Coordinates of all heavy atoms in Angstrom, one line a residue:
M1344 N 351.5 114.1 8.5 CA 350.7 115.3 8.8 C 349.3 115.1 8.3 O 349.1 115.0 7.1 CB 351.4 116.5 8.0 CG 350.9 117.9 8.4 SD 351.8 118.6 9.7 CE 351.5 120.3 9.4
A1345 N 348.4 115.0 9.2 CA 347.0 114.8 8.8 C 346.4 116.1 8.2 O 346.8 117.2 8.5 CB 346.2 114.4 10.0
D1346 N 345.5 115.9 7.3 CA 344.8 117.1 6.6 C 343.7 117.6 7.5 O 343.0 116.9 8.2 CB 344.2 116.7 5.3 CG 345.3 116.2 4.3 OD1 346.5 116.7 4.4 OD2 345.0 115.4 3.4
L1347 N 343.6 118.9 7.4 CA 342.4 119.6 8.1 C 341.2 119.1 7.5 O 341.1 119.0 6.2 CB 342.6 121.1 8.1 CG 343.7 121.7 8.8 CD1 343.8 123.2 8.6 CD2 343.6 121.4 10.3
L1348 N 340.2 118.9 8.3 CA 338.8 118.5 7.8 C 338.1 119.7 7.3 O 338.2 120.8 7.9 CB 338.1 117.7 8.8 CG 338.7 116.4 9.3 CD1 337.8 115.8 10.4 CD2 338.9 115.4 8.2
S1349 N 337.2 119.5 6.3 CA 336.3 120.6 5.9 C 335.2 120.8 6.9 O 334.9 119.9 7.7 CB 335.8 120.3 4.5 OG 334.9 119.2 4.6
D1350 N 334.5 121.9 6.8 CA 333.4 122.1 7.7 C 332.3 121.0 7.5 O 331.8 120.5 8.5 CB 332.7 123.5 7.4 CG 333.6 124.7 7.7 OD1 334.6 124.4 8.5 OD2 333.3 125.8 7.3
D1351 N 332.1 120.6 6.3 CA 331.1 119.5 6.0 C 331.6 118.2 6.6 O 330.8 117.5 7.3 CB 330.9 119.3 4.5 CG 330.1 120.5 3.9 OD1 329.5 121.2 4.7 OD2 330.1 120.6 2.7
E1352 N 332.9 117.9 6.5 CA 333.4 116.6 7.0 C 333.3 116.6 8.5 O 332.9 115.6 9.2 CB 334.9 116.5 6.6 CG 335.1 116.1 5.2 CD 336.6 116.2 4.7 OE1 337.3 117.1 5.2 OE2 337.0 115.4 3.9
I1353 N 333.6 117.8 9.2 CA 333.5 117.8 10.6 C 332.0 117.6 11.0 O 331.7 116.8 11.9 CB 334.0 119.2 11.1 CG1 335.5 119.3 10.9 CG2 333.7 119.4 12.7 CD1 336.0 120.8 11.0
E1354 N 331.1 118.3 10.3 CA 329.7 118.2 10.7 C 329.2 116.8 10.6 O 328.5 116.3 11.4 CB 328.9 119.1 9.7 CG 327.5 119.5 10.1 CD 327.5 120.2 11.5 OE1 328.3 121.1 11.7 OE2 326.6 119.8 12.3
T1355 N 329.6 116.1 9.5 CA 329.1 114.7 9.3 C 329.8 113.7 10.2 O 329.2 112.7 10.5 CB 329.2 114.3 7.8 OG1 330.6 114.5 7.4 CG2 328.4 115.2 7.0
Q1356 N 331.1 113.9 10.5 CA 331.9 112.9 11.3 C 331.8 113.1 12.8 O 332.3 112.3 13.5 CB 333.3 112.9 10.8 CG 333.4 112.5 9.3 CD 334.9 112.5 8.8 OE1 335.8 112.2 9.6 NE2 335.1 112.9 7.6
L1357 N 331.3 114.3 13.2 CA 331.3 114.6 14.7 C 330.5 113.5 15.4 O 329.3 113.4 15.1 CB 330.8 116.0 14.9 CG 331.2 116.7 16.2 CD1 332.7 116.9 16.3 CD2 330.5 118.1 16.2
P1358 N 331.0 112.8 16.4 CA 330.2 111.9 17.2 C 329.0 112.6 17.9 O 329.1 113.8 18.2 CB 331.1 111.3 18.2 CG 332.5 111.5 17.7 CD 332.4 112.8 16.9
D1359 N 327.9 111.9 18.1 CA 326.8 112.4 18.8 C 327.2 113.1 20.2 O 328.2 112.6 20.8 CB 325.8 111.3 19.2 CG 325.1 110.7 18.0 OD1 325.2 111.4 16.9 OD2 324.5 109.7 18.1
D1360 N 326.6 114.1 20.5 CA 326.8 114.8 21.8 C 328.1 115.7 21.8 O 328.4 116.3 22.8 CB 326.8 113.9 23.0 CG 325.5 113.1 23.1 OD1 324.4 113.7 22.9 OD2 325.6 111.9 23.3
W1361 N 328.9 115.6 20.7 CA 330.1 116.5 20.6 C 329.7 117.7 19.8 O 328.8 117.7 18.9 CB 331.2 115.8 19.9 CG 331.9 114.8 20.8 CD1 331.4 113.5 21.2 CD2 333.2 114.9 21.4 NE1 332.3 112.9 22.0 CE2 333.4 113.7 22.2 CE3 334.1 115.9 21.4 CZ2 334.6 113.5 22.9 CZ3 335.3 115.7 22.2 CH2 335.5 114.5 22.9
T1362 N 330.3 118.8 20.1 CA 330.0 120.1 19.4 C 331.3 120.7 18.9 O 332.4 120.4 19.4 CB 329.4 121.1 20.3 OG1 330.2 121.4 21.4 CG2 328.0 120.7 20.8
R1363 N 331.2 121.5 17.8 CA 332.4 122.1 17.3 C 332.4 123.5 17.8 O 331.4 124.2 17.8 CB 332.3 122.2 15.8 CG 333.6 122.8 15.2 CD 333.4 123.3 13.8 NE 334.6 124.0 13.3 CZ 334.9 124.1 12.0 NH1 334.1 123.6 11.1 NH2 336.0 124.7 11.7
E1364 N 333.6 124.0 18.3 CA 333.8 125.3 18.7 C 335.0 125.9 18.1 O 336.1 125.6 18.6 CB 333.9 125.4 20.2 CG 332.6 125.1 20.9 CD 332.6 125.3 22.5 OE1 333.6 125.9 22.9 OE2 331.7 124.8 23.2
G1365 N 334.9 126.5 16.9 CA 336.1 127.0 16.2 C 337.0 125.8 15.7 O 336.5 124.9 15.0
D1366 N 338.2 125.9 16.2 CA 339.2 124.8 15.8 C 339.2 123.6 16.8 O 340.1 122.8 16.8 CB 340.6 125.4 15.8 CG 340.8 126.3 14.6 OD1 340.0 126.2 13.6 OD2 341.7 127.2 14.6
E1367 N 338.2 123.5 17.6 CA 338.1 122.4 18.6 C 336.8 121.7 18.5 O 335.8 122.3 18.1 CB 338.2 123.0 20.0 CG 339.5 123.7 20.3 CD 339.5 124.3 21.7 OE1 338.5 124.8 22.2 OE2 340.6 124.1 22.4
I1368 N 336.8 120.4 18.9 CA 335.6 119.7 19.2 C 335.5 119.4 20.7 O 336.6 119.2 21.3 CB 335.5 118.4 18.4 CG1 336.6 117.4 18.6 CG2 335.4 118.7 16.9 CD1 336.4 116.1 18.0
V1369 N 334.3 119.6 21.2 CA 334.2 119.6 22.7 C 333.0 118.8 23.1 O 332.0 118.6 22.5 CB 333.8 121.1 23.1 CG1 333.8 121.2 24.6 CG2 334.8 122.1 22.5
R1370 N 333.2 118.1 24.3 CA 332.1 117.4 25.0 C 332.3 117.5 26.5 O 333.5 117.4 27.0 CB 331.9 116.0 24.6 CG 330.8 115.4 25.3 CD 330.3 114.1 24.9 NE 329.2 113.7 25.8 CZ 328.6 112.5 25.9 NH1 329.0 111.6 25.0 NH2 327.7 112.2 26.7
T1371 N 331.3 117.8 27.2 CA 331.3 117.7 28.7 C 330.5 116.5 29.2 O 329.4 116.3 28.8 CB 330.7 119.0 29.3 OG1 331.5 120.1 28.8 CG2 330.7 119.0 30.8
Y1372 N 331.2 115.7 30.0 CA 330.6 114.5 30.6 C 330.2 114.8 32.0 O 331.0 115.4 32.7 CB 331.6 113.3 30.5 CG 332.0 112.9 29.1 CD1 333.0 113.5 28.4 CD2 331.3 111.8 28.5 CE1 333.4 113.1 27.2 CE2 331.7 111.4 27.2 CZ 332.7 112.0 26.6 OH 333.1 111.6 25.3
E1373 N 329.1 114.3 32.4 CA 328.6 114.5 33.8 C 328.8 113.2 34.6 O 328.6 112.1 34.1 CB 327.1 115.0 33.8 CG 327.0 116.3 33.1 CD 325.5 116.8 33.1 OE1 324.7 116.0 33.6 OE2 325.3 117.9 32.7
F1374 N 329.1 113.4 35.9 CA 329.3 112.2 36.8 C 328.6 112.4 38.1 O 328.2 113.5 38.4 CB 330.8 112.1 37.0 CG 331.6 111.8 35.8 CD1 332.1 112.8 35.0 CD2 331.8 110.5 35.4 CE1 332.8 112.5 33.8 CE2 332.5 110.2 34.2 CZ 333.0 111.2 33.4
D1375 N 328.4 111.2 38.8 CA 327.7 111.3 40.1 C 328.5 112.0 41.1 O 327.9 112.5 42.1 CB 327.4 109.9 40.5 CG 326.4 109.2 39.6 OD1 325.7 109.9 38.9 OD2 326.4 107.9 39.5
D1376 N 329.8 111.9 41.0 CA 330.6 112.6 42.0 C 332.0 113.0 41.4 O 332.4 112.5 40.3 CB 330.8 111.8 43.3 CG 331.5 110.5 43.0 OD1 332.6 110.5 42.4 OD2 331.0 109.4 43.4
Y1377 N 332.8 113.7 42.1 CA 334.0 114.3 41.7 C 335.0 113.2 41.3 O 335.6 113.2 40.2 CB 334.6 115.2 42.8 CG 335.9 115.9 42.4 CD1 335.9 116.9 41.5 CD2 337.1 115.5 43.0 CE1 337.1 117.5 41.1 CE2 338.3 116.1 42.7 CZ 338.3 117.1 41.7 OH 339.5 117.7 41.4
L1378 N 335.2 112.2 42.1 CA 336.2 111.2 41.9 C 335.9 110.3 40.7 O 336.8 109.8 40.0 CB 336.5 110.3 43.1 CG 337.2 111.1 44.2 CD1 337.4 110.2 45.4 CD2 338.6 111.6 43.7
R1379 N 334.6 110.1 40.3 CA 334.3 109.4 39.1 C 334.8 110.2 37.9 O 335.3 109.7 36.9 CB 332.8 109.2 39.0 CG 332.3 108.1 39.9 CD 330.9 107.8 39.7 NE 330.3 106.9 40.8 CZ 330.4 105.6 40.7 NH1 331.0 105.0 39.6 NH2 329.9 104.8 41.6
G1380 N 334.7 111.5 38.0 CA 335.2 112.4 36.9 C 336.7 112.3 36.8 O 337.3 112.3 35.7
V1381 N 337.4 112.3 38.0 CA 338.8 112.2 38.0 C 339.3 110.9 37.4 O 340.2 110.8 36.6 CB 339.4 112.3 39.5 CG1 340.9 112.0 39.6 CG2 339.1 113.7 40.0
N1382 N 338.6 109.8 37.7 CA 339.0 108.5 37.1 C 338.7 108.5 35.6 O 339.5 107.9 34.9 CB 338.1 107.4 37.8 CG 338.5 107.2 39.2 OD1 339.7 107.4 39.6 ND2 337.6 106.8 40.1
F1383 N 337.7 109.1 35.2 CA 337.4 109.2 33.8 C 338.5 110.0 33.1 O 339.0 109.6 32.0 CB 336.1 109.9 33.5 CG 335.8 110.2 32.1 CD1 335.5 109.2 31.2 CD2 335.8 111.5 31.6 CE1 335.2 109.5 29.9 CE2 335.5 111.8 30.3 CZ 335.2 110.8 29.4
A1384 N 339.0 111.1 33.7 CA 340.1 111.9 33.1 C 341.3 111.1 33.0 O 342.1 111.1 32.0 CB 340.3 113.1 34.0
Q1385 N 341.6 110.2 34.0 CA 342.8 109.3 33.9 C 342.7 108.4 32.7 O 343.6 108.2 31.9 CB 342.8 108.5 35.2 CG 343.8 107.3 35.2 CD 345.3 107.7 35.2 OE1 345.6 108.7 35.8 NE2 346.1 106.9 34.6
M1386 N 341.5 107.8 32.5 CA 341.2 106.9 31.4 C 341.4 107.7 30.0 O 342.1 107.2 29.1 CB 339.8 106.4 31.5 CG 339.5 105.3 30.4 SD 338.8 106.1 29.0 CE 337.3 106.8 29.6
V1387 N 341.0 108.9 30.0 CA 341.1 109.7 28.7 C 342.6 109.9 28.5 O 343.1 109.8 27.4 CB 340.4 111.0 28.8 CG1 340.7 111.9 27.6 CG2 338.9 110.8 28.9
G1388 N 343.4 110.2 29.6 CA 344.8 110.4 29.5 C 345.5 109.2 28.9 O 346.5 109.3 28.1
E1389 N 345.1 108.0 29.3 CA 345.7 106.8 28.9 C 345.4 106.6 27.4 O 346.3 106.2 26.6 CB 345.2 105.6 29.7 CG 345.8 105.6 31.1 CD 345.1 104.7 32.1 OE1 344.2 103.9 31.6 OE2 345.4 104.7 33.3
I1390 N 344.2 106.9 27.0 CA 343.9 106.8 25.5 C 344.8 107.8 24.7 O 345.4 107.5 23.7 CB 342.4 107.1 25.2 CG1 341.6 106.1 25.9 CG2 342.2 107.2 23.7 CD1 340.1 106.4 25.8
A1391 N 344.9 109.0 25.3 CA 345.7 110.1 24.7 C 347.1 109.7 24.5 O 347.8 109.8 23.4 CB 345.6 111.4 25.5
E1392 N 347.7 109.0 25.5 CA 349.1 108.6 25.4 C 349.2 107.5 24.4 O 350.1 107.5 23.6 CB 349.6 108.1 26.8 CG 350.0 109.2 27.7 CD 351.2 109.9 27.3 OE1 352.3 109.4 27.4 OE2 351.0 111.0 26.6
A1393 N 348.2 106.6 24.4 CA 348.3 105.5 23.4 C 348.2 106.0 21.9 O 348.8 105.5 21.0 CB 347.2 104.5 23.7
Q1394 N 347.4 107.0 21.8 CA 347.2 107.7 20.5 C 348.2 108.7 20.2 O 348.3 109.2 19.0 CB 345.8 108.3 20.4 CG 344.6 107.4 20.5 CD 344.5 106.4 19.4 OE1 344.8 105.2 19.5 NE2 344.2 106.9 18.2
F1395 N 348.9 109.1 21.2 CA 349.8 110.3 21.1 C 349.1 111.5 20.5 O 349.6 112.2 19.6 CB 351.1 110.0 20.3 CG 352.2 110.9 20.6 CD1 352.7 111.1 21.9 CD2 352.8 111.7 19.6 CE1 353.7 112.0 22.2 CE2 353.9 112.6 19.9 CZ 354.3 112.7 21.2
H1396 N 347.9 111.7 21.0 CA 347.1 112.9 20.6 C 346.3 113.3 21.9 O 345.6 112.6 22.5 CB 346.1 112.4 19.5 CG 345.5 113.6 18.8 ND1 346.2 114.4 18.0 CD2 344.2 114.1 18.9 CE1 345.4 115.4 17.5 NE2 344.2 115.2 18.1
H1397 N 346.7 114.5 22.3 CA 346.3 114.9 23.7 C 345.3 116.0 23.8 O 345.5 117.1 23.2 CB 347.6 115.3 24.4 CG 348.6 114.3 24.4 ND1 349.5 114.0 23.4 CD2 348.9 113.3 25.3 CE1 350.3 113.0 23.7 NE2 350.0 112.6 24.8
P1398 N 344.1 115.7 24.4 CA 343.1 116.7 24.6 C 343.4 117.6 25.8 O 344.2 117.3 26.6 CB 341.9 115.9 24.8 CG 342.3 114.7 25.6 CD 343.7 114.4 25.0
E1399 N 342.7 118.8 25.8 CA 342.6 119.5 27.0 C 341.5 118.9 27.9 O 340.4 118.6 27.4 CB 342.2 121.0 26.7 CG 342.0 121.9 27.9 CD 341.6 123.3 27.5 OE1 342.3 123.9 26.7 OE2 340.6 123.7 28.0
I1400 N 341.8 118.6 29.1 CA 340.9 118.0 30.0 C 340.6 118.9 31.2 O 341.6 119.3 31.9 CB 341.4 116.6 30.5 CG1 341.8 115.7 29.4 CG2 340.4 116.0 31.5 CD1 342.5 114.4 29.8
V1401 N 339.4 119.3 31.4 CA 339.1 120.2 32.5 C 338.2 119.4 33.5 O 337.1 119.0 33.1 CB 338.3 121.5 32.1 CG1 338.0 122.4 33.3 CG2 339.2 122.3 31.1
I1402 N 338.7 119.2 34.7 CA 337.9 118.4 35.7 C 337.2 119.4 36.6 O 337.9 120.2 37.3 CB 338.9 117.5 36.5 CG1 339.6 116.5 35.6 CG2 338.1 116.8 37.6 CD1 340.7 115.7 36.4
R1403 N 335.9 119.4 36.6 CA 335.1 120.2 37.5 C 334.4 119.3 38.5 O 334.3 118.1 38.3 CB 334.1 121.1 36.8 CG 334.8 122.0 35.7 CD 333.8 122.9 35.1 NE 334.4 123.7 34.0 CZ 334.3 123.4 32.7 NH1 333.6 122.3 32.3 NH2 334.9 124.1 31.8
Y1404 N 333.6 119.9 39.5 CA 332.9 119.0 40.4 C 331.8 118.3 39.5 O 330.9 119.0 38.9 CB 332.2 119.8 41.5 CG 331.4 118.9 42.4 CD1 332.0 118.1 43.3 CD2 330.0 118.9 42.2 CE1 331.3 117.2 44.0 CE2 329.2 118.0 43.0 CZ 329.9 117.2 43.9 OH 329.1 116.3 44.6
A1405 N 331.8 117.0 39.5 CA 330.8 116.1 38.9 C 330.7 116.3 37.3 O 329.7 115.9 36.8 CB 329.5 116.4 39.5
E1406 N 331.7 117.0 36.7 CA 331.7 117.0 35.2 C 333.2 117.1 34.8 O 334.0 117.7 35.5 CB 330.9 118.1 34.7 CG 331.3 119.5 34.9 CD 330.5 120.5 34.2 OE1 329.2 120.3 33.9 OE2 331.0 121.6 33.8
V1407 N 333.4 116.6 33.5 CA 334.7 116.7 32.9 C 334.5 117.2 31.5 O 333.7 116.6 30.7 CB 335.5 115.4 32.9 CG1 336.8 115.4 32.1 CG2 335.7 114.9 34.3
E1408 N 335.2 118.3 31.1 CA 335.2 118.8 29.7 C 336.4 118.4 29.0 O 337.5 118.5 29.4 CB 335.1 120.3 29.8 CG 335.0 121.0 28.4 CD 335.0 122.5 28.5 OE1 333.9 123.1 28.7 OE2 336.1 123.1 28.4
I1409 N 336.1 117.9 27.8 CA 337.2 117.4 26.9 C 337.2 118.3 25.6 O 336.2 118.5 25.0 CB 337.0 115.9 26.4 CG1 336.8 115.0 27.6 CG2 338.1 115.5 25.5 CD1 338.0 114.8 28.5
R1410 N 338.4 118.9 25.3 CA 338.5 119.7 24.1 C 339.6 119.1 23.3 O 340.7 118.9 23.7 CB 338.9 121.1 24.5 CG 337.8 121.9 25.1 CD 338.1 123.4 25.4 NE 336.9 124.0 25.8 CZ 336.1 124.6 24.9 NH1 336.4 124.7 23.6 NH2 335.0 125.2 25.4
L1411 N 339.3 118.9 22.0 CA 340.3 118.2 21.1 C 340.5 119.2 19.9 O 339.6 119.7 19.3 CB 339.7 116.9 20.5 CG 339.9 115.7 21.4 CD1 338.9 114.6 21.1 CD2 341.4 115.2 21.3
T1412 N 341.8 119.3 19.5 CA 342.2 120.0 18.3 C 343.6 119.4 17.9 O 344.3 118.8 18.8 CB 342.3 121.5 18.5 OG1 342.4 122.1 17.2 CG2 343.4 121.9 19.4
S1413 N 344.0 119.5 16.7 CA 345.3 119.1 16.2 C 346.2 120.3 16.1 O 346.2 121.1 15.2 CB 345.2 118.4 14.9 OG 344.4 117.2 15.0
H1414 N 347.0 120.5 17.2 CA 347.8 121.7 17.4 C 348.7 121.9 16.2 O 348.8 123.0 15.6 CB 348.6 121.7 18.6 CG 347.8 121.5 19.9 ND1 346.9 122.5 20.3 CD2 347.6 120.4 20.7 CE1 346.3 122.1 21.4 NE2 346.7 120.8 21.6
E1415 N 349.4 120.8 15.8 CA 350.4 121.0 14.7 C 349.8 121.4 13.4 O 350.4 122.1 12.6 CB 351.2 119.7 14.6 CG 352.2 119.5 15.8 CD 352.8 118.1 15.7 OE1 353.3 117.7 14.6 OE2 352.7 117.4 16.7
E1416 N 348.6 120.9 13.2 CA 347.9 121.2 11.9 C 347.1 122.5 12.0 O 346.6 123.0 11.0 CB 347.0 120.0 11.5 CG 347.7 118.8 11.0 CD 348.3 118.0 12.2 OE1 347.9 118.3 13.4 OE2 349.1 117.1 11.9
G1417 N 346.9 122.9 13.2 CA 346.1 124.2 13.4 C 344.6 124.1 13.2 O 344.0 125.1 12.8
G1418 N 344.1 122.9 13.5 CA 342.6 122.8 13.4 C 342.2 121.4 13.7 O 342.9 120.6 14.4
I1419 N 341.0 121.0 13.1 CA 340.4 119.7 13.4 C 340.8 118.7 12.3 O 340.6 119.0 11.1 CB 338.9 119.8 13.5 CG1 338.6 120.8 14.6 CG2 338.2 118.5 13.8 CD1 337.1 121.4 14.6
T1420 N 341.3 117.5 12.7 CA 341.7 116.5 11.7 C 341.0 115.2 12.1 O 340.4 115.1 13.2 CB 343.2 116.3 11.7 OG1 343.6 115.7 13.0 CG2 344.0 117.6 11.6
D1421 N 341.3 114.1 11.3 CA 340.8 112.8 11.6 C 341.2 112.4 13.0 O 340.5 111.6 13.7 CB 341.3 111.8 10.6 CG 340.6 111.9 9.3 OD1 339.5 112.4 9.2 OD2 341.2 111.5 8.2
A1422 N 342.4 112.7 13.5 CA 342.9 112.3 14.8 C 342.0 112.8 15.9 O 341.8 112.0 16.9 CB 344.3 112.9 15.0
D1423 N 341.4 113.9 15.8 CA 340.5 114.5 16.8 C 339.2 113.7 16.8 O 338.7 113.3 17.8 CB 340.2 115.9 16.5 CG 341.5 116.8 16.6 OD1 342.2 116.7 17.6 OD2 341.8 117.4 15.5
I1424 N 338.7 113.4 15.5 CA 337.4 112.6 15.4 C 337.6 111.2 16.0 O 336.8 110.7 16.7 CB 337.0 112.6 13.9 CG1 336.7 114.0 13.3 CG2 335.8 111.7 13.8 CD1 335.6 114.7 13.9
E1425 N 338.8 110.6 15.6 CA 339.0 109.3 16.1 C 339.1 109.2 17.6 O 338.6 108.4 18.3 CB 340.3 108.8 15.5 CG 340.7 107.3 15.8 CD 342.0 106.8 15.2 OE1 342.5 107.5 14.3 OE2 342.5 105.8 15.6
M1426 N 339.8 110.2 18.2 CA 340.0 110.3 19.6 C 338.7 110.4 20.3 O 338.4 109.7 21.3 CB 340.9 111.5 19.9 CG 341.2 111.7 21.4 SD 342.5 110.5 21.9 CE 342.5 111.0 23.6
A1427 N 337.8 111.3 19.8 CA 336.4 111.4 20.3 C 335.7 110.1 20.3 O 335.1 109.7 21.3 CB 335.7 112.5 19.6
G1428 N 335.8 109.4 19.3 CA 335.2 108.1 19.2 C 335.7 107.1 20.2 O 334.9 106.3 20.8
L1429 N 337.0 107.1 20.4 CA 337.6 106.2 21.4 C 337.2 106.5 22.8 O 336.9 105.6 23.6 CB 339.1 106.3 21.2 CG 339.8 105.7 20.0 CD1 341.3 106.0 19.9 CD2 339.6 104.2 20.0
I1430 N 337.1 107.8 23.1 CA 336.6 108.2 24.4 C 335.1 107.8 24.6 O 334.8 107.2 25.6 CB 336.7 109.7 24.5 CG1 338.2 110.1 24.6 CG2 336.0 110.2 25.8 CD1 338.5 111.6 24.5
E1431 N 334.3 108.0 23.5 CA 332.9 107.5 23.6 C 332.8 106.1 23.9 O 332.0 105.6 24.7 CB 332.2 107.9 22.3 CG 331.9 109.4 22.1 CD 330.9 109.9 23.2 OE1 329.8 109.3 23.4 OE2 331.3 110.9 23.9
S1432 N 333.6 105.3 23.2 CA 333.5 103.8 23.3 C 334.0 103.4 24.7 O 333.4 102.5 25.3 CB 334.3 103.1 22.2 OG 335.7 103.5 22.2
E1433 N 335.0 104.1 25.2 CA 335.4 103.7 26.6 C 334.3 104.1 27.6 O 334.1 103.5 28.6 CB 336.7 104.5 27.0 CG 337.9 103.9 26.4 CD 338.2 102.5 27.0 OE1 338.1 102.4 28.3 OE2 338.5 101.6 26.3
R1434 N 333.7 105.3 27.4 CA 332.7 105.8 28.3 C 331.5 104.8 28.3 O 330.9 104.6 29.4 CB 332.3 107.2 27.8 CG 331.1 107.8 28.6 CD 331.5 108.3 29.9 NE 330.4 109.1 30.5 CZ 330.0 108.9 31.8 NH1 330.6 108.1 32.6 NH2 329.0 109.6 32.3
D1435 N 331.2 104.2 27.2 CA 330.1 103.3 27.1 C 330.4 101.9 27.7 O 329.5 101.1 27.9 CB 329.7 103.1 25.6 CG 329.1 104.4 25.0 OD1 328.7 105.3 25.8 OD2 329.1 104.6 23.8
A1436 N 331.7 101.7 27.8 CA 332.2 100.3 28.2 C 331.7 100.0 29.6 O 331.5 100.9 30.5 CB 333.7 100.2 28.2
Ligands
H2B2583 C1 355.4 117.6 19.4 C2 353.8 117.4 19.5 O1 353.3 118.0 20.6 C3 353.5 115.9 19.3 O2 353.9 115.5 18.1 C4 352.0 115.6 19.5 C5 351.6 115.4 20.9 N1 350.2 115.4 21.1 C6 349.4 116.2 20.3 N2 348.1 116.4 20.6 C7 347.3 117.2 19.9 N3 346.0 117.4 20.3 N4 347.8 117.8 18.8 C8 349.1 117.7 18.4 O3 349.5 118.4 17.4 C9 349.9 116.8 19.2 N5 351.2 116.6 18.8

């Protein structure tokens, strides 16, 4: 059971371009077209399965919103921060 992060820990550990919204960390990625977003969502899903830590993924036209929280802990933990970092590194790949 991971510990909930403090407000300061979240603030300092949140990757660039991610924002905190209550018990979630959020980022919206923009794409040139819809299917690039769909493909990105698939990649995020694969990371989620590997990590066994699953975000909410909202696929819109030319953008994908990712929301992360640790449901069992009821807030933001290291698992969320780590997942955001993994998504960022895949996005940059
Ligand atoms: C039973 C529970 O859903 C599982 O242990 C995992 C699956 N994926 C999960 N994903 C997220 N974001 N939070 C969880 O607490 C979580 N729990």
